[in-house]
């Protein structure tokens, strides 16, 4: 066994060590591709970098994880998302500066990402109060979420990254989404890159 945690070994078994190395490398590759794209278009804004990173994160993970035993690819919202055994590996860039993963929040409380976390993330630590407002809730999940078997579990790969500093933090774990303020409430999270880690600038 390598240096991965009991959580990682319980979640991914014999693949845990390999994933702990491969996933951060994929994020660094995605950053480098996005940075080169920005440099290629010579814009004063960071649109090319941001859009490029969003697309490249899925592509880099798909290429890096496709050859592993038990991996399958799923097309969701026009992106390839990798499933390792019964775990959906889903990347989220939560910050453009070096802040803890506990600061991670979604832009919206509804939509694809929110539905993915609610359906395949852990059971909420605190159940919502039933105020008889069922008609105000979303009647059904995002249609792409319905393509995933309900038994799949979500492993979020949350990372902080900027064009200037590269990947500053990356962690993986499981989290629920708090509806009222869109923060991720982590049931478990741990670093994929050491604090002084392997950054791409």
């Amino acid at each position: 066994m390598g240096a991965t945690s009991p959580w990682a070994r319980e979640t991914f078994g014999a693949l845990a060590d390999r994933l702990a190395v491969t996933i951060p490398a994929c994020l660094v590759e995605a950053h480098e591709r996005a940075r080169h794209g920005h440099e290629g278009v010579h814009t004063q804004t960071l649109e090319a970098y941001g859009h490029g990173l969003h697309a490249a994160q899925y592509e880099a993970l798909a290429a890096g994880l496709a050859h592993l035993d038990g991996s399958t690819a799923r097309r969701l919202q026009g992106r390839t998302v990798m499933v390792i055994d019964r775990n959906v590996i889903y990347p989220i860039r939560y910050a453009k500066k070096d802040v803890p993963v506990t600061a991670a929040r979604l832009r919206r409380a509804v939509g694809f990402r929110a539905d993915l976390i609610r359906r395949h993330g852990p059971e909420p630590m605190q159940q919502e109060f039933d105020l008889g407002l069922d008609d105000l809730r979303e009647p059904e999940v995002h249609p792409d979420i319905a393509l995933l078997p309900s038994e799949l579990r979500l492993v979020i790969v949350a990372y902080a990254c900027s064009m200037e500093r590269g990947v500053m933090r990356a962690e993986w774990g499981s989290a629920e989404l708090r509806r009222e303020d869109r923060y991720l409430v982590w049931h478990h999270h741990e670093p994929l890159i050491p604090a002084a880690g392997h950054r791409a600038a």
Side-chain angles (χ1 to χ4, degrees):
M1 285 293 176
T4 48
S5 71
W7 172 85
R9 293 194 296 272
E10 180 181 346
T11 304
F12 296 108
L15 290 176
D17 290 340
R18 228 159 141 199
L19 288 168
V21 172
T22 303
I23 289 174
C26 291
L27 297 178
V28 169
E29 178 191 335
H31 155 71
E32 291 173 346
R33 288 173 56 185
R35 184 182 62 184
H36 291 321
H38 170 80
E39 291 169 350
V41 296
H42 301 291
T43 57
Q44 294 182 352
T45 66
L46 293 176
E47 289 173 273
Y49 176 79
H51 291 301
L53 181 62
H54 182 74
Q57 64 182 353
Y58 298 105
E59 294 177 6
L61 284 167
L65 304 180
H67 65 283
L68 298 179
D69 292 339
S71 68
T72 56
R74 298 269 185 167
R75 288 293 280 181
L76 300 172
Q77 275 206 319
R79 308 291 182 193
T80 299
V81 175
M82 298 306 294
V83 178
I84 306 294
D85 292 328
R86 295 183 300 121
N87 302 288
V88 181
I89 309 296
Y90 194 77
I92 295 177
R93 180 171 73 143
Y94 70 90
K96 301 173 186 176
K97 56 186 178 180
D98 191 0
V99 296
V101 73
T102 50
R105 66 190 298 201
L106 299 191
R107 292 179 183 170
R108 301 176 60 225
V110 296
F112 175 80
R113 282 184 171 183
D115 285 346
L116 179 64
I117 293 170
R118 288 195 189 101
R119 186 170 189 221
H120 295 281
E123 288 293 322
M125 294 181 190
Q126 184 173 353
Q127 296 296 323
E128 292 183 32
F129 292 110
D130 184 0
L131 301 177
L133 302 176
D134 290 341
D135 54 326
L136 298 181
R137 295 178 182 168
E138 296 78 47
E140 56 188 36
V141 298
H142 189 283
D144 277 12
I145 302 298
L147 301 175
L148 291 174
S150 59
E151 67 270 14
L152 293 182
R153 296 174 299 179
L154 181 66
V155 173
I156 297 175
V157 174
Y159 67 105
C161 181
S162 71
M163 192 182 72
E164 297 80 12
R165 298 186 61 190
V167 179
M168 295 166 277
R169 290 177 185 249
E171 300 205 17
W172 59 356
S174 62
E176 63 180 276
L177 177 63
R178 198 160 57 198
R179 185 183 294 266
E180 59 268 24
D181 57 12
R182 309 185 311 281
Y183 274 98
L184 295 181
V185 178
W186 293 94
H187 289 221
H188 179 87
H189 65 91
E190 59 191 40
L192 279 164
I193 296 178
H198 305 84
R199 305 178 182 185

